[in-house]
Amino acid sequence: MNAIVVSITLFILALLIGIEVIGKVPATLHTPLMSGGNSIHGIVLVGVIIVAAHADTPLALVFVGLAALLGTINVVGGYVVTERMLEMFKPKKAVAKQSDDADAAKAEK
């Protein structure tokens, strides 16, 4: 079989399996799952580094840059979502104290 046909078939199968798995996740677990998945997306950045070593055309370099940009946004977004999610589980006093400390630090500058 042609390599492109195999690649497209694998992509479609992975897409269908991913939709099926994510569709069965309860709403209460969706945010932790997605935030962990986004942080694990850093593997894409490793792939970008490997592919960048073999990129020799301008189009390949554009795709490598785009992949690096989108992968980085996804990783940072995963950590931001995780931090915001963890803030929900902190006691109200601890959150208020942190905001007071942040206000004091801004006032000193």
Side-chain angles (χ1 to χ4, degrees), residues 52-63:
H54 299 290
D56 52 357
T57 65
L59 183 61
L61 292 174
V62 167
F63 283 135

Side-chain angles (χ1 to χ4, degrees), residues 9-25:
T9 303
L10 284 175
F11 177 75
I12 291 172
L13 287 173
L15 183 69
L16 293 173
I17 290 171
I19 289 170
E20 186 67 24
V21 169
I22 294 299
K24 300 212 183 294
V25 173

Side-chain angles (χ1 to χ4, degrees), residues 25-40:
V25 173
T28 55
L29 295 178
H30 192 268
T31 301
L33 176 68
M34 291 309 295
S35 105
N38 288 341
S39 64
I40 292 172

Side-chain angles (χ1 to χ4, degrees), residues 12-91:
I12 291 172
L13 287 173
L15 183 69
L16 293 173
I17 290 171
I19 289 170
E20 186 67 24
V21 169
I22 294 299
K24 300 212 183 294
V25 173
T28 55
L29 295 178
H30 192 268
T31 301
L33 176 68
M34 291 309 295
S35 105
N38 288 341
S39 64
I40 292 172
H41 197 80
I43 295 170
V44 169
L45 297 178
V46 174
V48 166
I49 293 169
I50 293 169
V51 171
H54 299 290
D56 52 357
T57 65
L59 183 61
L61 292 174
V62 167
F63 283 135
V64 164
L66 185 63
L69 176 69
L70 294 175
T72 302
I73 289 170
N74 207 357
V75 169
V76 171
Y79 285 115
V80 169
V81 168
T82 302
E83 183 63 31
R84 290 185 68 191
M85 183 182 60
L86 291 175
E87 287 290 323
M88 294 187 310
F89 295 106
K90 289 184 180 178

